[in-house]
Structure formats: structure tokens, C-alpha cells
Amino acid sequence: ATERAYLGNSMENHLGIVFLPTDEDGTTHAEMPVDHRTCQPYGTLHGGASLALAESLAGYGSWAYCAPNEIPMGMQVSGNHISPVRVGGKVHASCKLVHKGSTTHIWYITLTSETGRLAASIRVVNYIVRKK
């Protein structure tokens, strides 16, 4: 509930993204409903919503590694959509840090359906920017 309030008027809040507890190894998790906000006209998860989920989760993960005077900014997103997820369920995202440099973080994200079927494989690069 606190994270929802923190998100305020944001893409994450609009799409119904919920951040879940982070694993001890730093793997971050989130879920998003497949509904009227996130689907294509013919009733399956929209690829753009998948990428928005992945970039949001990678940003959330990078934010945990940033100094108080830094923020993560999405620099590159690349994804492969593997199988459709139908309206009415949720998609689960797991995000693992594979490179933590001083100015870039690289994350691999997998999206799965509620049945555990791979829906997408996504890579996000975040650029770490100093606040001015």
C-alpha cells in the first residue's frame, strides 16, 4: 500500500503494477493485471505494456542501488514476446541485475503467465544520472 501511494500519478499506478518483495539476491518482482488498461483490442497482453512493466521494474531495482543524489533513467529496452497472456489474469515479472557499473545497470526480465508459461524475455539498460 505504501508503494502505491509513492507511485502517485505514474505509469506504474495507471497500469496497476504492484511491486512485490525483493529476494535476498536482489532479484526484484512485480505483477500487472491483464485487463482493459494493458491489453490489445483482441484480448491479449499488449507488448508495450510488457515493456513498460519491465522498464518500471528495472528502474525500481536500480533505484535501490543508487546513492541519494542519483536516479536511474531507462536508456535501452529490448524484448522478445514469446506467448500471449489472455485478459482476466496477471503477468508476473522477475528482474535480475546482470551488470552493476558506476553509470549503467543491465537487467534481464522474464514475464510469465499465472500458469508459469514464459510470455516475454526483456533486457533493460539504465543510465545512472546525478540529480542537479
Side-chain angles (χ1 to χ4, degrees):
T2 347
E3 288 169 355
R4 300 295 297 170
Y6 165 76
L7 293 173
N9 189 19
S10 67
M11 171 76 80
E12 294 84 357
N13 204 12
H14 175 71
L15 295 179
I17 295 171
V18 175
F19 295 105
L20 302 172
T22 299
D23 294 343
E24 287 183 23
D25 69 356
T27 302
T28 57
H29 302 276
E31 61 185 20
M32 181 177 71
V34 182
D35 61 15
H36 67 282
R37 299 168 292 180
T38 60
C39 74
Q40 298 175 348
Y42 40 88
T44 60
L45 179 64
H46 192 288
S50 296
L51 296 178
L53 171 58
E55 187 169 356
S56 297
L57 188 53
Y60 180 77
S62 283
W63 181 63
Y65 292 104
C66 286
N69 66 333
E70 297 175 329
I71 55 171
M73 303 290 288
M75 181 179 194
Q76 189 268 338
V77 179
S78 175
N80 296 93
H81 306 290
I82 311 299
S83 63
V85 181
R86 300 236 174 258
V87 166
K90 291 182 182 180
V91 65
H92 180 83
S94 292
C95 183
K96 184 152 186 73
L97 181 66
V98 294
H99 168 75
K100 182 185 170 289
S102 59
T103 59
T104 58
H105 296 169
I106 300 175
W107 296 87
Y108 286 161
I109 301 96
T110 55
L111 272 54
T112 55
S113 68
E114 288 181 299
T115 63
R117 185 174 183 191
L118 182 63
S121 176
I122 302 167
R123 178 180 176 263
V124 174
V125 179
N126 286 329
Y127 181 63
I128 308 307
V129 179
R130 289 184 188 259
K131 292 182 192 177
K132 295 188 180 203

